[in-house]
């Protein structure tokens, strides 16, 4: 059973009964150690199968653990307490529903059901949902529960928070009346059951003498308290985790639980699993060097016996379009060399980055699958925006009408829509045409919506396609709706990326300068739609052509179940997975690390852990790519290399484009517009700067100060700092600032109105 384990794994499996912390690095066999520990305890008669509890974070992990355990021992695993926190708490509450104050048949609300219940409560109580958006209320309630707080426990410091606490109480009363619990309530109610009922608490404390916990770094405050309460009767917690892979702070995970557990329970009883069975040496050494920049780590260093392997390849392209094309070309080469598509993954920090990669894969005819998420044109917020656009092109599209007529909410309820549908059937007309026949408040709200669509359709006659989409996102209420949701940042980024998609489409189809609603003279150049579509497109407006393009890209290029396909995903979704070849895209300051993380050390350290997770997904080949210019938020941004590149030693990197030198900004702009094609690369040498982007972030491509004109790429000389290259510009006139990479002095931000600079080139 333990003969095939390495010495560190054997030491962890055969620990005598005691609290223990196992620091299990990526690819070090932690699941194997957990299940073998359970089997060893049973086989050595130190525990019965029913005296063990094993806690995981996913049902998949729980199933894998049970499968491995049954392969090691001839036992029936059906009755074992192995499952997720929520699953085990549900099991406990079902057994003691009366003591927990719940009906025997209590129902569980998932996140969507919980939100619907909160919306119903807010409406019924006459609460202003502009001041108290349902999603904000949901987040407040769940956050309080995850801290173990009932309404009476929540600290109140102003009137707004007092009202939130009152809504929390109303919600709690509503759930109790209806006999339902949400996910956070499962854990809180189970914790309270053990805390307040001594006989039940002592029963479980006697029963479970060994509690094994997977992914301990992802536990939140209440989960930690629940575990230690269960162990209060003398049980031993065997915690397995990796503080370097704690990337879920936004979900409430507390990486500090690991150091707290070591200090309060394990008391130095820590075993490190550092031998990696997944990746080659260059990949692991890169990850080790990167994560070493974080403070307060428990500390470990991954190593392998597989050899160094290939160095990490780094490529810097002039634009995000060229970056995507380079990735596609490299993927084609890997496939030609025998790689399976499913063993190739493209990772990105932000969901919005997937759109341009999806488009490149689609154009190349390479099947792909978006793991743990939806393809770009299938995402809720994108489909909402497209529905508005479709109604502007064709107001009689009933499917699009029903999708957005009351989204965002505008007082058009189910009863009103039912009456409208009845009228439309009687008149044999579309819903739009039946609106004038409606009366009352519902009819007035429908008329206002129809007028909104007509007004936006009128704008299509004067605005370009990208401008029109921006107009729709603002005036439809979509932007305001998602701005009220703290988790809406990704959705807003995707809406902004839809503007970028339109700009790219306009450039490819040679439609620059043409209003979105006008039919052009002559056939369109429809590169992305195929030559056979050109004749049909000749009679289409840019808006109609773009909608056709979106439908095609959202169509059948997604891989079918079981089909060999390229894997696309965010880095968060990639945790726990591994691939032969991994591309990490957008390795730029402000993107990875994300600009939202740069304001505080804790945020930056989580971003570094996220990059560590991304790097350690690769078995054989790792690629890091970045672009000097990228379309973000509807504007071209000029990027700096991520500081993470500077934190990886040069001996582990192989630059496929020169590390030094930078293309003129004109070349970058042409690359974005499509004038430059594969084979032309331009590189910005910032010489390893780890400086953050300029604070204002309102970057520009050129600035004139007096008689001097500065551009991105301009060579300059300073009396003190020597020669350098302009890599960022902001402001204008005497207030302009330049970020300059000096050859010998590093990166400096200088006020151009007072700095005495001499232009040497560009």
């Amino acid at each position: 059973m333990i003969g095939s384990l390495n010495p560190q794994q054997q030491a962890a499996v055969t620990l005598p009964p005691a609290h223990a912390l196992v620091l299990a690095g990526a690819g070090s066999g932690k699941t194997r150690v957990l299940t073998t520990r359970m089997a060893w305890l049973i086989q050595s008669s130190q525990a019965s199968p029913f005296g063990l509890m094993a806690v995981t974070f996913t049902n998949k992990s729980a199933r894998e653990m049970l499968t491995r355990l049954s392969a090691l021992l001839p036992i029936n695993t059906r009755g074992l307490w192995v499952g997720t926190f929520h699953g085990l708490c549900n099991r406990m509450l079902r057994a003691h529903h009366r003591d927990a104050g719940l009906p025997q048949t209590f129902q569980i609300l998932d996140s969507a059901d919980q939100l619907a219940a909160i919306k119903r409560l807010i409406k019924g109580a006459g609460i202003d949902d502009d001041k108290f958006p349902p999603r904000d209320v949901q987040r407040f309630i769940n956050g309080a529960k995850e801290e173990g707080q009932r309404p009476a426990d929540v600290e109140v410091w102003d009137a707004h928070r007092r009202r939130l606490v009152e809504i929390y109480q109303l919600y709690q009363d509503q759930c109790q009346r209806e006999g339902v619990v949400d996910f956070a309530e499962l854990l809180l109610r189970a914790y309270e059951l053990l805390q307040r009922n001594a006989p039940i608490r002592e029963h479980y404390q006697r029963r479970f003498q060994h509690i094994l916990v997977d992914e301990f770094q992802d536990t939140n405050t209440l989960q930690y308290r629940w575990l230690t309460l269960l162990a209060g009767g003398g049980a031993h917690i065997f915690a397995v985790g990796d503080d370097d892979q704690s990337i879920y702070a936004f979900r409430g995970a507390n990486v500090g639980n690991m150091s707290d557990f070591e200090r309060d329970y394990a008391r130095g009883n820590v075993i490190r699993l550092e031998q990696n069975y997944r990746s080659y040496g260059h990949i692991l050494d890169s990850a080790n060097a990167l994560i070493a920049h974080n403070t307060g780590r428990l500390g470990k260093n991954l190593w392998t016996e597989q050899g160094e392997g290939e160095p990490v390849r780094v490529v810097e392209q002039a634009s995000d379009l060229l970056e995507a094309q380079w990735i596609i070309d490299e993927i084609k080469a890997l496939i030609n060399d025998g790689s399976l598509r499913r063993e190739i993954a493209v990772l990105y920090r932000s969901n919005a980055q997937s759109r341009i990669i999806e488009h490149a894969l689609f154009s190349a005819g390479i099947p792909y699958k978006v793991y743990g998420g939806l393809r770009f044109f299938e995402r809720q917020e994108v489909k909402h925006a497209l529905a508005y656009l479709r109604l502007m092109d064709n107001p009689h599209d009933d499917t699009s009408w029903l999708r957005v007529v009351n989204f965002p909410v505008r007082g058009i309820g189910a009863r009103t829509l039912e009456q409208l549908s009845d009228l439309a059937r009687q008149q044999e007309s579309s819903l739009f045409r039946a609106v004038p026949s409606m009366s009352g408040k519902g009819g007035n709200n429908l008329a206002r919506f129809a007028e909104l669509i007509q007004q936006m359709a009128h704008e299509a006659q004067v605005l370009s396609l990208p401008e029109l989409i921006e107009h729709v996102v603002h005036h439809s209420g979509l932007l305001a709706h998602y701005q009220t949701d703290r988790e809406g940042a990704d959705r807003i980024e995707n809406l902004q990326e839809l503007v970028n998609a339109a700009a790219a489409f306009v450039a490819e189809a040679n439609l620059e300068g043409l209003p979105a609603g006008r039919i052009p003279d002559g056939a369109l150049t429809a590169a992305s739609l195929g030559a056979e579509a050109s004749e049909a497109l000749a009679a289409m407006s840019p808006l109609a052509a773009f909608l056709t393009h979106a439908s095609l890209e959202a169509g059948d290029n997604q891989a079918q179940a079981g089909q060999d396909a390229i894997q696309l995903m965010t880095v968060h979704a990639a945790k726990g997975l591994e691939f032969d070849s991994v591309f990490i895209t957008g390795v730029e300051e402000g993107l990875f690390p994300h600009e939202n993380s740069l304001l505080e050390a804790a945020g930056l350290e989580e971003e570094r852990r996220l990059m560590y997770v991304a790097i350690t997904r690769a078995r054989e080949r790792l690629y890091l790519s970045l672009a000097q210019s990228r379309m973000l938020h509807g504007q071209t941004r000029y990027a700096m290399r991520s500081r993470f590149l500077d934190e990886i030693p040069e001996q582990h990197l192989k630059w496929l484009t020169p590390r030094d030198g930078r293309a003129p900004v004109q070349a970058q702009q042409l690359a974005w517009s499509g004038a430059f094609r594969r084979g032309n690369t331009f590189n910005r040498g910032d010489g390893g700067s780890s400086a953050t982007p300029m604070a204002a972030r309102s970057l520009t491509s050129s600035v004139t100060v007096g008689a001097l004109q500065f551009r991105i790429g301009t060579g300059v000389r300073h009396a003190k700092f020597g020669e350098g290259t302009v890599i960022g510009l902001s402001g204008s006139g005497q207030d302009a600032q330049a970020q300059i990479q000096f050859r010998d002095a590093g990166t400096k931000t200088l006020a151009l109105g007072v700095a005495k600079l001499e232009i040497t080139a560009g």
Side-chain angles (χ1 to χ4, degrees):
M1 181 184 297
I2 64 174
S4 60
L5 302 179
N6 67 39
Q8 290 74 32
Q9 291 172 333
Q10 287 187 25
V13 167
T14 59
L15 275 171
H19 294 301
L21 177 62
V22 179
L23 282 177
S28 63
K30 68 177 178 63
T31 304
R32 187 181 186 192
V33 166
L34 268 170
T35 52
T36 308
R37 169 73 172 175
M38 294 172 68
W40 182 80
L41 287 170
I42 295 169
Q43 189 179 60
S44 61
S45 301
Q46 297 185 58
S48 74
F50 303 103
L52 298 174
M53 174 186 282
V55 191
T56 71
F57 271 83
T58 66
N59 289 313
K60 178 183 176 183
S61 296
R63 288 192 297 269
E64 182 181 358
M65 197 176 293
L66 289 171
T67 299
R68 292 193 184 196
L69 185 60
S70 61
L72 292 171
L73 291 176
I75 61 173
N76 185 348
T77 61
R78 291 192 62 180
L80 299 187
W81 279 63
V82 177
T84 64
F85 278 99
H86 293 121
L88 295 177
C89 288
N90 173 59
R91 185 170 176 177
M92 188 176 288
L93 293 175
R94 296 289 178 188
H96 307 283
H97 62 90
R98 288 191 184 88
D99 296 289
L102 292 170
Q104 185 174 7
T105 56
F106 70 83
Q107 298 297 311
I108 300 172
L109 301 176
D110 63 19
S111 182
D113 292 336
Q114 181 192 28
L115 182 61
I118 291 171
K119 288 179 178 177
R120 177 161 48 89
L121 181 150
I122 287 175
K123 183 177 181 181
I127 298 168
D128 187 346
D129 59 5
D130 287 332
K131 293 182 179 177
F132 298 94
R135 288 189 184 276
D136 286 357
V137 173
Q138 181 184 37
R139 220 171 1 257
F140 174 80
I141 291 172
N142 289 341
K145 289 185 177 184
E146 288 167 0
E147 291 295 322
Q149 297 175 335
R150 291 297 182 187
D153 305 318
V154 178
E155 184 179 0
V156 174
W157 52 74
D158 59 26
H160 183 80
R161 190 169 175 86
R162 181 177 295 107
R163 188 56 170 153
L164 281 172
V165 171
E166 292 171 355
I167 297 171
Y168 180 9
Q169 182 66 58
L170 291 172
Y171 171 74
Q172 181 172 284
D173 295 342
Q174 174 179 290
C175 290
Q176 189 66 32
R177 285 194 308 270
E178 297 176 2
V180 297
V181 298
D182 53 53
F183 282 132
E185 181 73 15
L186 280 172
L187 189 61
L188 179 54
R189 190 73 67 115
Y191 174 77
E192 292 172 341
L193 173 69
L194 295 176
Q195 185 185 45
R196 298 171 182 174
N197 194 308
I200 293 176
R201 178 176 69 248
E202 291 165 4
H203 163 73
Y204 285 107
Q205 287 176 339
R206 286 192 303 270
R207 174 172 179 174
F208 298 121
Q209 289 301 296
H210 295 274
I211 301 173
L212 301 93
V213 189
D214 192 14
E215 304 286 6
F216 195 76
Q217 77 278 354
D218 293 334
T219 54
N220 63 31
T221 299
L222 187 58
Q223 288 164 343
Y224 184 80
R225 288 165 59 183
W226 183 75
L227 289 168
T228 55
L229 184 60
L230 271 174
H236 304 110
I237 297 178
F238 184 84
V240 180
D242 182 1
D243 56 331
D244 290 334
Q245 294 190 73
S246 180
I247 59 173
Y248 295 120
F250 66 96
R251 295 182 187 170
N254 181 8
V255 66
N257 284 348
M258 295 194 74
S259 54
D260 290 347
F261 179 73
E262 180 193 16
R263 182 187 65 245
D264 299 336
Y265 294 93
R267 296 184 181 88
N269 195 15
V270 178
I271 292 180
R272 290 169 170 78
L273 304 183
E274 297 174 302
Q275 183 174 358
N276 177 282
Y277 294 92
R278 175 188 301 163
S279 308
Y280 283 106
H282 278 305
I283 295 171
L284 296 180
D285 290 342
S286 298
N288 288 332
L290 175 84
I291 203 64
H293 287 78
N294 273 5
T295 61
R297 297 172 59 231
L298 294 172
K300 64 182 182 311
N301 199 63
L302 298 178
W303 60 276
T304 182
E305 292 181 341
Q306 297 187 87
E308 287 190 337
E310 302 174 8
V312 177
R313 294 171 172 84
V314 186
V315 65
E316 182 174 17
Q317 295 288 358
S319 71
D320 48 357
L321 283 176
L322 290 175
E323 178 195 32
Q325 186 57 56
W326 178 84
I327 291 170
I328 299 308
D329 289 349
E330 197 67 26
I331 285 173
K332 288 178 179 178
L334 289 171
I335 294 171
N336 289 338
D337 288 342
S339 293
L340 297 173
R341 294 188 188 97
R342 62 176 173 269
E343 289 297 344
I344 302 172
V346 182
L347 310 184
Y348 33 83
R349 174 62 181 87
S350 169
N351 259 312
Q353 289 174 255
S354 79
R355 197 275 309 170
I356 196 167
I357 300 168
E358 288 185 56
H359 176 66
L361 287 166
F362 173 83
S363 300
I366 299 174
Y368 67 90
K369 177 177 177 59
V370 178
Y371 183 93
L374 297 172
R375 290 175 296 167
F376 180 78
F377 285 110
E378 290 180 344
R379 293 169 189 162
Q380 177 204 87
E381 60 280 7
V382 174
K383 288 177 73 71
H384 285 333
L386 291 175
Y388 279 103
L389 294 172
R390 288 193 173 96
L391 286 175
M392 292 159 56
D393 187 60
N394 173 20
H396 307 295
D397 179 349
D398 285 354
T399 299
S400 296
W401 176 279
L402 290 171
R403 183 177 187 92
V404 295
V405 67
N406 199 41
F407 191 93
V409 174
R410 47 178 60 91
I412 300 172
R415 179 61 181 154
T416 298
L417 290 176
E418 183 180 339
Q419 292 173 346
L420 181 65
S421 297
D422 290 342
L423 280 171
R425 278 194 296 270
Q426 292 169 14
Q427 298 174 5
E428 296 184 348
S429 72
S430 66
L431 297 174
F432 172 78
R433 193 160 283 150
V435 167
S437 301
M438 290 287 293
S439 59
K441 181 180 178 182
N444 291 336
N445 290 338
L446 285 168
R448 280 195 290 271
F449 176 70
E451 183 180 358
L452 171 67
I453 297 300
Q454 290 173 313
Q455 287 175 344
M456 291 194 297
H458 178 72
E459 297 295 333
Q461 301 303 309
V462 294
L463 297 177
S464 69
L465 182 60
E467 291 170 338
L468 178 65
I469 295 176
E470 279 193 297
H471 181 80
V472 168
V473 167
H474 282 80
H475 289 80
S476 67
L478 287 175
L479 180 62
H481 172 80
Y482 291 121
Q483 283 175 334
T484 64
D485 181 1
R486 290 181 190 172
E487 296 177 359
D490 277 352
R491 297 192 186 279
I492 292 172
E493 282 190 2
N494 285 332
L495 290 173
Q496 292 164 334
E497 184 59 25
L498 184 63
V499 178
N500 297 343
F505 176 81
V506 163
E508 289 181 359
N510 291 333
L511 295 172
E512 292 96 333
L514 188 71
R518 301 271 185 88
I519 297 176
D521 296 327
L524 305 182
T525 303
S528 62
L529 298 174
E532 70 279 0
S534 295
E535 184 176 346
L537 285 173
M540 283 188 182
S541 66
L543 173 58
F546 179 69
L547 292 171
T548 300
H549 159 79
S551 297
L552 289 173
E553 285 216 9
D556 57 5
N557 205 54
Q558 174 85 328
Q560 303 301 310
Q563 183 181 2
D564 189 27
I566 305 300
Q567 306 293 301
L568 269 60
M569 66 196 74
T570 64
V571 180
H572 280 103
K575 188 171 181 293
L577 304 177
E578 56 187 77
F579 306 91
D580 288 345
S581 302
V582 170
F583 294 81
I584 304 174
T585 64
V587 187
E588 301 148 22
E589 200 75 4
L591 187 56
F592 203 174
H594 196 277
E595 59 188 350
N596 293 343
S597 73
L598 300 177
L599 300 178
E600 55 183 22
L604 180 58
E605 293 206 346
E606 175 133 343
E607 288 291 300
R608 191 174 283 112
R609 292 195 294 270
L610 195 58
M611 177 60 83
Y612 177 85
V613 167
I615 290 173
T616 53
R617 299 311 93 197
R619 296 192 195 103
E620 300 175 6
R621 288 170 293 275
L622 176 64
Y623 303 82
L624 306 177
S625 68
L626 61 151
Q628 294 169 4
S629 66
R630 184 177 298 276
M631 284 290 286
L632 288 173
H633 316 313
Q635 297 179 337
T636 300
R637 297 285 189 94
Y638 298 97
M640 296 176 63
R641 291 175 184 163
S642 169
R643 68 187 69 197
F644 296 155
L645 282 171
D646 303 320
E647 294 173 357
I648 300 174
E650 280 296 311
Q651 63 263 31
H652 303 306
L653 302 179
K654 179 180 180 180
W655 285 79
L656 302 184
T657 48
R659 185 181 177 100
D660 298 317
R662 185 181 179 89
V665 67
Q666 297 97 326
Q668 297 175 9
Q669 293 169 334
L670 286 170
W672 163 249
S673 69
F676 280 79
R677 291 298 175 232
R678 182 67 183 151
N680 296 330
T681 58
F682 311 99
N683 303 286
R684 183 210 64 196
D686 59 69
S689 165
S690 60
T692 59
M694 301 176 76
R697 287 217 177 289
S698 56
L699 303 185
T700 184
S701 58
S702 67
V703 165
T704 300
V705 181
L708 300 178
Q709 186 175 38
F710 297 88
R711 300 177 181 274
I712 305 295
T714 296
V716 296
R717 182 182 294 113
H718 187 271
K720 178 179 179 181
F721 302 125
E723 294 189 352
T725 303
V726 176
I727 60 174
L729 291 166
S730 68
S732 61
Q734 295 299 310
D735 295 325
Q737 288 185 322
Q739 206 160 33
I740 302 171
Q741 175 60 46
F742 289 99
R743 185 178 302 169
D744 300 317
T747 300
K748 307 290 181 184
T749 299
L750 302 180
L752 293 177
V754 296
K756 296 179 180 179
L757 291 171
E758 175 186 354
I759 292 180
T760 60

